Amino acid sequence: MMTVLAPGARTLVQDLGRAGQYAIGLPPSGALDQYSHRCANLLVGNTETAATLEVTMIGPELRFAEPATVAITGGEAEISIDGMPAEGWQTLSVDAGQVLRIGTLRTGCHAYLAVRGGIATEPFLGSRSTYQSSAIGCPLAAGDTVPVGDETEPFCPGEGSTVDSRLRPALGGHQPLRLVEGLCRYRFTDESVREFFSSTFTVSAESDRTGRRLIGPALRFVDREAPFGAGDNPSNVVDLGYPVGSVQVPNGEEAICLLRDAVTGGGYATIGTVVSADLDALAQLKAPDTVRFVPVSLDQAVAARRESRDRLGHVRRGLRLLSLY
């Protein structure tokens, strides 16, 4: 068990998400950077579905009631155990009574703290993920106690085990995002689509877990007579499902890439969907980071997903080998 001495800016319990609930309008939630979340769990010998603590910008201070094996991945931050510096992306040991502190993130905007056994808060619809819009969970607060469970694998990497630097993501700065054009692409003029793919967009400070707001050129729509139920605004459609990663452009003025806490559908045209392999990088962007969209085919998107899974497989195999020593 851990006691929260200071909660940080916004620290949430997240796992891989609440899959299969789109039919009732409930998004998956879960870790925004799924790769970093999975790597944190691998570093402590957890199942990859175990819950971690997702840190946003400024991390918490936690006192451990019992000895624990922990790892912090994602954005780089100053980490200390009882005031002594510790490394991220590495298996760490914490003794009973010691205090772990995660400072301000220097890169990215999310870090992930895994504890061997996983965070054992009460699950809801098969997941421990926080979704504040529906009052499912809430950020940690000072004085909270955080239970630890038993979602472990038979092996656990030894103290000092680390993820190869070549397998760690480059966070923040400028990121190319691959995008598959969507069903509503026809609503945008060809000139606007060309401008969309040739322009640089800046991440807005108003971004959150629902989506990243992107400041860039205004897009224009093909003239039409609005169908019944769509509304007069040219960016409106009658109704549309919103997959995670879809990019909507309300009124053509601001592109919004929807993330894991976004609503499941609505009435705005979407120009396309960012491929799943690039969503972790997108989720780690903050103002004033920049992005550029790169058009890809569905086959290329599937290939990118395969490459992303292969990369995680390299981490998994490497840490399993380290657990033998």
Side-chain angles (χ1 to χ4, degrees), residues 40-103:
N41 274 324
L42 289 170
L43 280 163
V44 299
N46 285 346
T47 64
E48 293 172 43
T49 57
T52 63
L53 295 182
E54 180 181 81
V55 171
T56 302
M57 300 305 296
I58 302 172
E61 291 185 32
L62 306 165
R63 176 179 285 120
F64 286 74
E66 300 165 346
T69 300
V70 304
I72 298 102
T73 61
E76 295 179 6
E78 183 178 294
I79 302 165
S80 65
I81 299 172
D82 268 4
M84 298 298 293
E87 294 293 324
W89 292 88
Q90 188 173 117
T91 306
L92 305 170
S93 293
V94 181
D95 292 331
Q98 288 191 312
V99 174
L100 170 68
R101 179 181 178 274
I102 303 174

Side-chain angles (χ1 to χ4, degrees), residues 2-297:
M2 299 170 284
T3 300
V4 180
L5 303 181
R10 191 168 185 242
T11 304
L12 307 174
V13 176
Q14 299 290 353
D15 54 25
L16 291 180
R18 194 168 283 105
Q21 305 302 324
Y22 260 38
I24 61 172
L26 192 64
S29 297
L32 288 181
D33 181 349
Q34 300 254 307
Y35 182 82
S36 293
H37 163 88
R38 288 177 184 270
C39 286
N41 274 324
L42 289 170
L43 280 163
V44 299
N46 285 346
T47 64
E48 293 172 43
T49 57
T52 63
L53 295 182
E54 180 181 81
V55 171
T56 302
M57 300 305 296
I58 302 172
E61 291 185 32
L62 306 165
R63 176 179 285 120
F64 286 74
E66 300 165 346
T69 300
V70 304
I72 298 102
T73 61
E76 295 179 6
E78 183 178 294
I79 302 165
S80 65
I81 299 172
D82 268 4
M84 298 298 293
E87 294 293 324
W89 292 88
Q90 188 173 117
T91 306
L92 305 170
S93 293
V94 181
D95 292 331
Q98 288 191 312
V99 174
L100 170 68
R101 179 181 178 274
I102 303 174
T104 301
L105 271 63
R106 296 187 292 266
T107 61
C109 58
H110 297 292
Y112 293 86
L113 168 62
V115 182
R116 181 160 172 81
I119 306 302
T121 52
E122 191 69 25
F124 177 75
L125 292 177
S127 171
R128 293 183 169 89
S129 287
T130 301
Y131 178 49
Q132 285 185 266
S133 296
S134 290
I136 303 172
C138 61
L140 296 189
D144 285 350
T145 56
V146 183
V148 176
D150 57 1
E151 294 186 55
T152 60
E153 297 282 6
F155 63 90
C156 181
E159 184 177 359
S161 298
T162 186
V163 173
D164 191 305
S165 60
R166 292 169 295 182
L167 296 172
R168 301 179 194 178
L171 304 179
H174 177 79
Q175 295 284 348
L177 300 176
R178 290 165 288 188
L179 179 137
V180 177
E181 293 183 32
L183 295 175
C184 292
R185 187 273 184 226
Y186 75 97
R187 289 291 306 120
F188 300 86
T189 66
D190 290 340
E191 182 184 358
S192 270
V193 172
R194 285 192 294 270
E195 188 173 16
F196 175 81
F197 285 117
S198 63
S199 299
T200 296
F201 291 79
T202 302
V203 177
S204 167
E206 296 181 17
S207 301
D208 56 20
R209 280 185 54 88
T210 298
R212 290 292 181 268
R213 292 177 176 268
L214 305 171
I215 302 167
L219 302 185
R220 293 166 297 282
F221 295 87
V222 173
D223 291 335
R224 58 124 196 224
E225 181 179 343
F228 178 77
D232 294 332
N233 191 291
S235 65
N236 290 155
V237 292
V238 176
D239 198 15
L240 191 71
Y242 292 154
V244 174
S246 57
V247 180
Q248 59 177 218
V249 194
N251 204 36
E253 296 175 350
E254 184 179 47
I256 304 172
C257 186
L258 301 179
L259 296 176
R260 299 183 66 85
D261 276 5
V263 295
T264 58
Y268 288 121
T270 55
I271 194 168
T273 301
V274 174
V275 304
S276 60
D278 289 350
L279 288 178
D280 294 340
L282 172 64
Q284 289 283 12
L285 296 176
K286 59 183 181 294
D289 292 336
T290 58
V291 304
R292 189 162 184 168
F293 292 101
V294 179
V296 295
S297 67

